[in-house]
């Protein structure tokens, strides 16, 4: 290294030292001093640009309003558009960091890399970084161009050839039909991929032939996407998978054998080649009981194989080819050889259900097949999920046979009157199926359920195993639920008597019985809310007790989170929710369990506002991480993952929950009068990634889930809800803008949306009133007429006239009053709006509006702080303690006190968190 270069590095290191000392202003001064002295160096200009980027952002987020932002933008553009390009990879790498952190146009940077490569055409590091830079910035055209250049210049590096194939395929998929060069990329990707396939047939195969399982996946993707004859794509893919050199049974495919087997079956199903499917599945099942070299078990005993075999049997039967006898023999033979084959036992159940044929000499029918399964798997947690879909539509006699067998098997596992872990699990599986058969189809409500004097005699007369096809009376429904609750609690107590689990992180064997008891209690409340209010307290008590033994059981945590929200205790619900430790991308699928409608339940808490901010930041962070995932996939030759990563980006960018959580955060910020934030709106809503199936559901498949029926705070938020509240945010933005201008169509848009039955079905009554009031505010802002203000005053006067409901769950009262405060927040913004205040012709109406809003705010605050409205009173606690002998009585009382306190806190947060008071 020359002396001049050493001196330049020393001067640059002084700037880096200032940056690392978190003193970017000092670093900028050092750069400017050197420039004033006439020093010229690419690294100096890049360092100055990087320092300016640090001074133009706050907490890593670029701030265009800061004084150094425009200078940073101008300098960055000048550096990347120079005729004499920067060729130093270190300086270009720093520019890349600047463009990523400041969110500048990435095509400018990829252009700089391209010019650098043209200036130094044989620099491998430079050319490779050009390609990876384009991938990181989503410049698909640039990436394809860079990859083609790499594979042309460095022909001996086989990875570059596959980079070119995959980047060309991705570019083709991204282009619209109106792009003229789209067919060119389609043909290019297909021809290059087919060339690797043809080369694989040669001996020895050349370097650019297919040599890895991931390259087979890439070939299949290219054929599916880019084949010149789309109608033959499936046959072409099948030919690849059937081939000897790179097919399913080739040595090359061994590393990912199962995925290729499943892919071939999927293709054959689309081609409806049922004979071929049957032969393949029969062969695989036969090979699964054989031993391979070295004594390893063979392949084939997979549920996908059994499922395809049964489907092929059915489809061939429709065509006149009867395979039932052969299929029966395959299943029976496999069970005899491998008695603990779970898949074979399930296949027998489904086979019996479909064909109703005798499969052995001792018993017949689905019930017998289920009993055979139970003998081996009743003590496993997989029992109910395996059987639910197969048994829920059986006749009454079969259901009773299954329940009796379950009960008998469970009792056999109890030795000398002492339960064991296996006996508890078996009893719990019995309870799950009993719930499915006897409770899942009960009606939710009944007016005659108020007659309680006949209940006790009905309980005594009820046979726990009776399954009736006729509609039960109200008393029978109550008796069934109370009897079930009693038995579930008995099973839970038996589990508790076994003592704690070996590890604190393990779930206790009694957890599921506690959940079943809680679900029955919740159903009991919905049968008669006035009489069984205490059953919700019972449900929470048993769940809290179970949670003390299984501190990480997410099923209990989710159920408690929703129960506390329903009971108007969002603070306690949040403490439970935090124990789920939901992180990163999980928020897109899981955080809705707490944060749905949180802006109208608990917007006053700063912790909630902060958490919503983290969820919003998550989407930005993951969108930045996906390019790095793509780079890693290219570097590790994981071509089969590229399409998945691209789709992941789309799923998050167009996520329902991204749009909903954004609105929840904006509403919370406005409610708390926090500084506004710029949250980009999702371009569209296409992917609902929320996971509603993770919670236990013992309901019939033909009915809504338990979570949907009993545990939601209002209708499910979706496109309709977001469309309405997006319009309300337009009104909010206009209210805080300097000119206060708003198009007259906004008010009409809101009212039109509310008239749409699909949209209205996603809103609560309180949200509909809120949207109607904001539409009136929008009309006032857009028209500034006396009539518009009068209509708004009428809406506000309804707040004071409305009688507060004392029925229903507490969340409804909380939601209604906090939503009223949200409406008053909009009204306050209107009253303070300079454009509205400047209309001299409305002086009197402005005064009347302020008076009406002040009166309404006073009433709403009093309602939120009303201590006389109690859901959990002394009578509820007393009722909850009935029949709880041996249970933690003091714990119930303490829980009731904590719940009452949490409900009071919810009202306090609602008032104190409202920063827009008149």
């Amino acid at each position: 290294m020359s002396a001049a270069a050493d001196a330049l590095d020393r001067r640059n290191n002084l700037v880096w030292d200032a940056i690392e000392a978190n003193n970017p202003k000092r670093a900028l001064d050092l750069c400017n001093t050197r420039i004033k002295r006439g020093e010229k160096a690419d690294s100096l200009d890049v360092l100055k640009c990087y320092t300016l980027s640090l001074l133009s952002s706050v907490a890593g987020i670029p701030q265009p309003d800061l004084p150094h932002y425009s200078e940073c933008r101008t300098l960055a553009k000048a550096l990347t558009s120079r005729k004499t390009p920067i060729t130093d990879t270190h300086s270009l790498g720093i520019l890349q960091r600047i463009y990523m952190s400041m969110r500048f146009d990435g095509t400018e940077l990829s252009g700089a890399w391209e010019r650098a490569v043209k200036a130094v055409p044989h620099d491998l590091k430079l050319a490779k970084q050009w390609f990876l830079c384009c991938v990181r910035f989503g410049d698909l055209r640039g990436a394809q161009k860079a990859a083609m250049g790499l594979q042309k210049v460095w022909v001996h590096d086989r990875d570059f050839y596959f980079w070119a194939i995959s980047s060309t395929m991705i570019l083709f998929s991204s282009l619209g039909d109106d792009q003229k060069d789209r067919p060119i990329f389609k043909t290019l990707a297909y021809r290059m991929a087919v060339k690797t396939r043809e080369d694989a047939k040669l001996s020895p195969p050349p370097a650019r032939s297919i040599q890895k399982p991931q390259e087979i996946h890439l070939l299949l993707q290219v054929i599916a996407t880019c084949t010149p004859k789309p109608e033959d794509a499936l046959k072409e893919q099948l030919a690849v998978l059937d081939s000897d050199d790179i097919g399913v049974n080739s040595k090359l495919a061994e590393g990912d054998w199962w995925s290729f087997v499943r892919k071939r079956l999927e293709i054959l199903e689309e081609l409806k080649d049922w004979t071929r499917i049957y032969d393949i599945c029969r062969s695989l099942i036969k090979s699964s009981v054989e031993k391979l070299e070295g004594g390893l078990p063979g392949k084939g005993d997979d549920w996908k194989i059994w499922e395809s075999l049964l489907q092929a049997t059915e489809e061939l039967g429709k065509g006149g080819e009867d395979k039932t006898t052969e299929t029966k023999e395959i299943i029976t033979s496999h069970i005899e050889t491998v008695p603990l084959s779970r898949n074979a036992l399930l296949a027998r159940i489904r086979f019996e259900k479909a064909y109703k044929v005798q499969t052995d000499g001792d018993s017949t029918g689905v019930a017998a097949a289920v009993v055979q399964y139970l003998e081996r798997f009743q003590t496993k947690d997989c029992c109910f999920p395996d059987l639910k879909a197969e048994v829920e539509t059986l006749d009454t006699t079969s259901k009773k046979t299954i329940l009796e067998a379950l009960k008998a098997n469970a009792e056999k596992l109890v030795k000398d009157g002492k339960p064991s872990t296996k006996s508890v699990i078996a009893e719990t599986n019995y309870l799950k199926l009993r719930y499915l058969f006897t409770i899942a189809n009960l009606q939710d409500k009944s007016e005659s359920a108020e007659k309680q004097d006949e209940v006790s005699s009905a309980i005594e007369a009820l046979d726990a195993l009776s399954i009736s096809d006729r509609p039960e009376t109200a008393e029978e429904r109550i008796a069934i639920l109370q009897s079930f609750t009693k038995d579930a609690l008995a099973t839970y107590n038996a589990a508790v008597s076994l003592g704690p689990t070996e590890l604190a992180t393990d779930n206790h064997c009694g957890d599921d019985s506690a959940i079943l008891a809680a679900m029955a209690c919740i159903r009991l409340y919905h049968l008669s809310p006035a009489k069984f209010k205490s059953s919700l307290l019972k449900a929470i008590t048993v769940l809290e007790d179970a949670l003390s033994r299984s501190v990480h059981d997410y099923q209990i945590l989710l159920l408690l989170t929703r129960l506390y929200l329903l009971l108007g205790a969002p603070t306690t619900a949040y403490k439970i929710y935090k124990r789920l430790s939901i992180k990163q991308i999980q928020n897109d699928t899981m955080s809705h369990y707490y944060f749905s409608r949180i802006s109208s339940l608990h917007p006053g808490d700063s912790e909630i506002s902060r958490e919503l901010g983290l969820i919003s930041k998550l989407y930005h962070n993951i969108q930045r991480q996906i390019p790095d995932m793509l780079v890693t996939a290219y570097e590790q030759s994981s071509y089969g993952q590229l399409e998945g990563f691209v789709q992941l980006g789309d799923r998050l960018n167009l996520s329902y929950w991204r749009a909903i959580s954004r609105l929840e955060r904006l509403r919370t910020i406005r409610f708390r009068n926090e500084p506004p934030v710029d949250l980009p709106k999702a371009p569209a809503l296409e992917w609902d990634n929320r996971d509603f199936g993770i919670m236990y559901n013992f309901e019939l498949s033909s009915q809504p889930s338990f979570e949907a029926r009993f545990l939601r705070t209002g209708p499910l938020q979706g496109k309709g809800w977001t469309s309405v509240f997006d319009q309300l945010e337009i009104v909010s933005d206009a209210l805080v803008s300097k000119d206060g201008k708003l198009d007259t169509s906004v008010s009409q848009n809101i009212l039109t949306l509310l008239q749409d039955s699909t949209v209205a079905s996603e809103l609560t009554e309180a949200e509909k009133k809120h949207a109607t009031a904001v539409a009136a505010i929008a009309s006032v802002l857009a028209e500034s007429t006396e009539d518009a203000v009068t209509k708004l005053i009428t809406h506000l006067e309804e707040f004071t006239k409305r009688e507060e409901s004392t029925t229903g769950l507490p969340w409804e009262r909380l939601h209604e009053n906090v939503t009223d405060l949200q409406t008053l927040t909009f009204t306050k913004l209107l009253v303070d709006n300079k454009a509205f205040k400047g209309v001299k012709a409305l002086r009197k109406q402005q005064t009347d509006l302020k008076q009406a809003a002040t009166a309404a705010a006073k009433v709403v605050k009093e309602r939120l702080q009303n201590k006389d409205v109690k859901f959990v009173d002394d009578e509820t606690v007393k009722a909850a303690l009935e029949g709880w002998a041996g249970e933690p009585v003091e714990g119930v009382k303490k829980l009731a006190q904590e719940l009452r306190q949490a409900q009071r806190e919810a009202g306090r947060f609602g008032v104190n968190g409202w920063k827009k008071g008149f």
Side-chain angles (χ1 to χ4, degrees):
M1 184 178 290
S2 65
D6 284 340
L8 179 62
D9 284 344
R10 284 196 298 271
R11 291 192 296 272
N12 286 344
N13 286 337
L14 291 175
V15 179
W16 282 114
D17 289 342
I19 292 173
E20 291 174 0
N22 198 25
N23 192 354
K25 290 185 178 179
R26 170 62 179 163
L28 181 61
D29 290 339
L30 289 171
C31 292
N32 286 332
T33 300
R34 290 166 61 184
I35 292 172
K36 287 178 182 178
R37 290 175 180 171
E39 182 177 343
K40 293 182 179 180
D42 290 344
S43 60
L44 174 59
D45 293 336
V46 171
L47 262 179
K48 179 180 178 180
C49 188
Y50 181 64
T51 305
L52 289 168
S53 71
L54 296 176
L55 292 168
S56 305
S57 59
V58 176
I61 300 175
Q63 304 292 327
D65 296 334
L66 292 177
H68 295 290
Y69 181 89
S70 58
E71 185 181 0
C72 176
R73 182 72 187 93
T74 302
L75 181 56
K77 190 168 185 177
L79 289 170
T80 54
S81 60
R82 281 182 5 181
K83 291 184 178 180
T84 304
I86 299 172
T87 57
D88 174 41
T89 55
H90 180 67
S91 296
L92 286 169
I94 296 173
L95 273 174
Q96 184 168 303
R97 290 168 62 183
I98 294 169
Y99 268 75
M100 291 188 73
S101 63
M102 299 302 291
R103 306 176 192 175
F104 293 154
D105 183 4
T107 57
E108 296 175 2
L109 183 62
S110 59
W113 280 100
E114 181 180 358
R115 288 191 294 275
V117 171
K118 288 181 179 179
V120 190
H122 295 288
D123 188 329
L124 174 59
K125 184 178 180 181
L126 198 62
K128 189 175 179 180
Q129 289 302 316
W130 171 30
F131 171 76
L132 297 179
C133 170
C134 292
V135 172
R136 284 193 171 94
F137 282 92
D139 182 4
L140 300 182
R141 286 186 178 272
Q144 192 273 340
K145 190 174 183 179
M148 292 298 293
L150 281 167
Q151 64 92 20
K152 285 179 181 178
V153 177
W154 288 276
V155 294
H156 298 296
D157 194 324
R158 60 188 310 277
D159 286 340
F160 296 154
Y161 191 74
F162 290 95
W163 287 12
I165 295 173
S166 55
S167 59
T168 304
M169 179 190 68
I170 292 173
L171 176 58
F172 161 73
S173 300
S174 69
L175 296 176
D177 293 334
D178 57 337
Q179 298 290 323
K180 293 182 179 180
D181 54 355
R182 189 171 188 262
I184 298 174
F185 294 117
K186 176 181 179 179
T187 303
L188 179 60
Y190 180 76
R191 288 181 178 177
M192 292 180 72
V194 170
K195 181 69 166 58
T196 65
R197 166 74 185 92
E198 296 301 324
D199 287 349
K201 298 177 182 179
L202 302 177
S203 181
R208 290 187 171 186
S209 65
I210 291 177
Q211 298 177 13
K212 300 176 183 178
Q214 285 293 321
E215 293 165 1
I216 302 176
H217 282 296
L218 177 60
L219 173 62
L220 294 173
Q221 288 178 10
V222 172
I223 292 173
T225 308
C226 304
T227 182
K229 296 181 178 180
E231 66 277 7
D232 295 333
L234 292 174
K235 293 180 180 179
E236 196 172 346
Q237 286 178 303
L238 184 61
V240 171
L241 293 171
D242 285 341
S243 64
D244 295 332
D245 49 353
I246 61 173
V248 171
N249 297 318
S250 67
K251 188 173 182 180
L252 187 60
E254 286 182 357
D256 201 8
W257 183 79
W258 267 118
S259 68
F260 292 123
V261 169
R262 293 190 180 99
K263 180 66 176 177
R264 182 167 65 173
L265 287 174
E266 290 169 4
I267 292 171
L268 288 169
E269 285 173 8
E270 290 190 55
L271 292 172
K272 301 187 184 304
D273 191 346
W274 304 111
T275 301
R276 181 86 189 281
I277 292 174
Y278 192 90
D279 293 340
I280 290 174
C281 292
R282 178 178 56 191
S283 175
L284 287 171
I285 292 169
K286 181 181 178 181
S287 68
S288 70
V289 298
E290 298 174 351
K291 297 292 182 181
L292 302 176
E293 292 183 13
L296 296 174
K299 305 169 184 177
D301 191 358
D302 182 85
W303 177 242
K304 173 62 179 177
I305 306 301
W306 287 104
E307 193 174 39
S308 297
L309 178 75
L310 295 172
Q311 185 180 6
T313 302
E314 181 182 356
E315 296 295 336
L316 288 171
K318 292 178 181 178
E321 187 176 355
D322 187 5
K323 290 283 188 178
T324 54
T325 303
E326 186 177 355
T327 302
K328 178 189 72 173
E329 178 59 31
I330 292 172
I331 296 171
T332 305
S333 176
H334 193 87
I335 293 175
E336 290 175 354
T337 307
V338 190
L340 293 179
S341 174
R342 175 181 162 201
N343 294 318
L345 291 168
L346 288 173
R348 184 196 168 193
I349 296 172
R350 185 167 294 187
F351 180 77
E352 286 283 0
K353 185 178 177 182
Y355 299 104
K356 302 289 192 303
V357 296
Q358 182 172 336
T359 55
D360 60 65
D362 299 322
S363 59
T364 60
V366 183
V370 172
V371 170
Q372 185 182 24
Y373 171 90
L374 292 173
E375 290 173 354
R376 295 164 175 80
F377 291 98
Q378 184 172 342
T379 58
K380 307 295 182 182
D381 291 333
C382 64
C383 178
F384 181 80
D386 282 352
L387 296 179
K388 179 184 176 183
E390 312 300 337
V391 302
E392 61 183 356
T393 58
L394 295 180
D395 58 83
T396 302
T397 302
S398 296
K399 290 178 180 178
K400 189 168 184 178
T401 299
I402 292 169
L403 282 182
E404 288 173 343
L406 273 163
K407 189 66 175 175
N409 292 343
E411 290 174 351
K412 291 177 183 178
L413 294 169
V414 179
K415 304 297 183 182
D416 301 326
K418 295 181 180 180
S420 63
T421 300
K422 286 188 175 182
S423 71
V424 169
I425 296 175
E427 182 68 24
T428 302
N429 282 323
Y430 158 74
L431 288 169
K432 289 177 180 178
L433 283 173
R434 177 177 158 190
Y435 183 105
L436 181 70
F437 293 159
T438 63
I439 293 177
N441 58 359
L442 292 180
Q443 296 180 17
D444 295 344
K445 294 182 179 179
S446 173
E447 294 179 1
S448 61
E450 305 294 332
K451 302 177 182 179
Q452 294 295 300
D453 51 340
E454 300 176 304
V455 172
S456 57
S457 59
I459 294 176
E460 297 296 329
L462 182 70
D463 177 3
L465 292 178
S466 65
I467 304 172
S468 175
D469 290 328
R470 65 181 177 80
E472 302 88 351
T473 65
E475 289 70 31
E476 285 179 322
R477 289 197 290 272
I478 292 170
I480 289 172
L481 285 169
Q482 291 186 331
S483 175
F484 182 87
T485 304
K486 179 182 177 182
D487 292 345
L489 288 174
T491 303
Y492 174 66
N493 290 331
V496 170
S497 69
L498 297 175
T501 55
E502 293 183 1
L503 298 175
T505 54
D506 288 346
N507 289 342
H508 197 273
C509 63
D511 291 353
D512 287 2
S513 56
I515 291 172
L516 285 164
M519 286 181 166
C521 287
I522 294 169
R523 271 183 161 274
L524 196 58
Y525 167 79
H526 282 274
L527 269 178
S528 179
K531 291 292 183 180
F532 293 106
K533 193 162 60 173
S534 61
S535 65
L536 293 183
L537 184 55
K538 286 182 179 180
I540 288 180
T541 304
V542 70
L543 290 173
E544 286 280 9
D545 189 68
L547 190 61
S548 67
R549 293 174 173 82
S550 299
V551 295
H552 299 293
D553 191 314
Y554 70 92
Q555 292 289 352
I556 297 176
L557 291 169
L558 286 172
L559 192 49
L560 276 174
T561 298
R562 281 293 179 85
L563 275 174
Y564 279 123
L565 280 174
L566 292 173
L567 291 176
T571 306
T572 306
Y574 183 67
K575 292 177 182 177
I576 297 293
Y577 167 81
K578 290 297 289 181
R579 292 173 63 175
L580 287 164
S581 299
I582 294 172
K583 297 179 178 66
Q584 296 299 321
I585 198 172
Q586 293 174 332
N587 280 281
D588 191 52
T589 58
M590 294 290 293
S591 60
H592 69 93
Y593 278 102
Y594 178 78
F595 288 101
S596 290
R597 287 194 171 84
I598 200 63
S599 60
S600 56
L601 292 173
H602 198 44
D605 192 344
S606 60
E607 182 70 13
I608 301 302
S609 180
R610 186 189 70 83
E611 192 73 22
L612 284 168
L614 293 176
I615 293 174
S616 299
K617 193 175 181 180
L618 149 82
Y619 291 98
H620 171 66
N621 290 341
I622 292 182
Q623 289 294 343
R624 293 180 61 183
Q625 292 170 9
I626 286 175
D628 291 332
M629 297 177 187
L630 290 169
V631 168
T632 302
Y634 275 113
E635 290 178 335
Q636 296 181 354
S637 303
S638 301
Y639 306 112
Q641 297 178 354
L642 292 172
E643 188 177 18
F645 288 145
V646 172
Q647 189 182 78
L648 174 62
D650 290 339
R651 290 186 72 103
L652 292 173
N653 192 39
L654 307 177
S655 163
Y656 275 45
W657 184 242
R658 179 185 183 183
I660 294 169
S661 61
R662 168 185 175 270
L663 291 168
E664 296 285 2
R665 188 184 181 201
L666 290 173
R667 283 161 54 80
T668 302
I669 288 172
R670 181 169 55 249
F671 188 89
R672 290 178 48 78
N673 197 23
E674 294 177 350
V677 296
D678 181 23
L679 293 177
K681 182 181 174 182
L685 272 69
E686 294 184 8
W687 298 96
D688 190 356
N689 305 321
R690 291 172 292 180
D691 190 346
F692 299 105
I694 193 171
M695 286 188 74
Y696 274 155
N697 180 42
F698 307 113
E699 307 298 315
L700 297 170
S701 301
S702 59
Q703 297 177 343
S705 67
F706 186 88
E707 180 266 342
R709 294 175 73 181
F710 304 114
L711 297 176
R712 288 182 183 171
T713 51
L716 181 64
Q717 297 161 294
K719 287 185 178 180
W721 189 91
T722 54
S723 62
V724 171
F725 282 87
D726 276 337
Q727 291 294 315
L728 302 194
E729 289 305 317
I730 294 175
V731 179
S732 175
D733 292 341
L735 288 169
V736 298
S737 65
K738 293 180 180 179
D739 56 11
K741 290 184 179 180
L742 183 67
D743 194 280
T744 54
S745 64
V746 176
S747 176
Q748 188 57 47
N749 289 343
I750 297 171
L751 296 176
T752 301
L753 285 169
L754 292 176
Q755 292 171 1
D756 187 318
S757 59
T758 303
V759 173
S761 66
E762 297 181 10
L763 276 66
T764 65
E765 289 302 316
E767 288 170 339
K768 292 174 188 176
K769 293 175 182 177
H770 169 64
T772 304
V774 175
I777 292 173
S779 179
V780 171
L781 191 62
E783 302 171 8
S784 296
T785 62
E786 182 177 334
D787 184 54
V789 180
T790 303
K791 288 182 179 179
L792 177 57
I793 293 173
T794 302
H795 280 294
L796 297 179
E797 288 175 345
E798 291 178 1
F799 288 6
T800 58
K801 297 176 182 178
R802 186 181 67 241
E803 293 185 5
E804 188 170 24
S805 175
T806 56
T807 61
L809 288 165
W811 80 267
E812 298 173 75
R813 173 178 168 272
L814 181 62
H815 168 71
E816 185 176 49
N817 286 305
V818 173
T819 303
D820 286 348
L821 286 181
Q822 293 277 13
T823 303
L824 290 168
T825 301
F826 275 87
T827 309
K828 175 63 175 174
L829 291 173
L830 175 66
V831 170
D832 293 340
N833 182 268
K834 291 183 179 180
F836 177 66
K837 290 166 69 175
V839 182
K840 296 181 180 180
L842 298 177
R843 294 298 188 198
K844 182 180 182 304
Q845 286 74 23
Q846 291 169 2
T847 302
D848 293 342
L849 175 62
K850 189 170 183 179
Q851 290 175 349
T854 302
K858 181 180 179 181
V859 171
V860 175
K861 288 179 181 180
E862 289 174 351
R863 287 173 177 167
L864 278 171
Q865 294 178 315
N866 187 0
K867 297 180 181 179
D868 295 330
V869 179
K870 297 179 180 179
F871 185 83
V872 182
D873 51 22
D874 293 338
E875 292 184 3
T876 304
V877 177
K878 183 178 179 182
L881 293 173
E882 291 179 2
W884 281 61
E887 291 298 311
V889 174
E890 291 302 320
V892 177
K893 292 180 179 179
K894 182 180 179 182
L895 181 63
Q897 293 173 355
E898 292 175 352
L899 189 54
R900 282 194 289 258
Q901 178 63 26
Q903 290 170 346
R904 287 194 292 267
E905 283 183 355
R908 178 174 60 83
F909 267 117
V911 173
N912 295 345
W914 189 54
K915 305 297 183 180
K916 285 286 182 181
F918 288 89

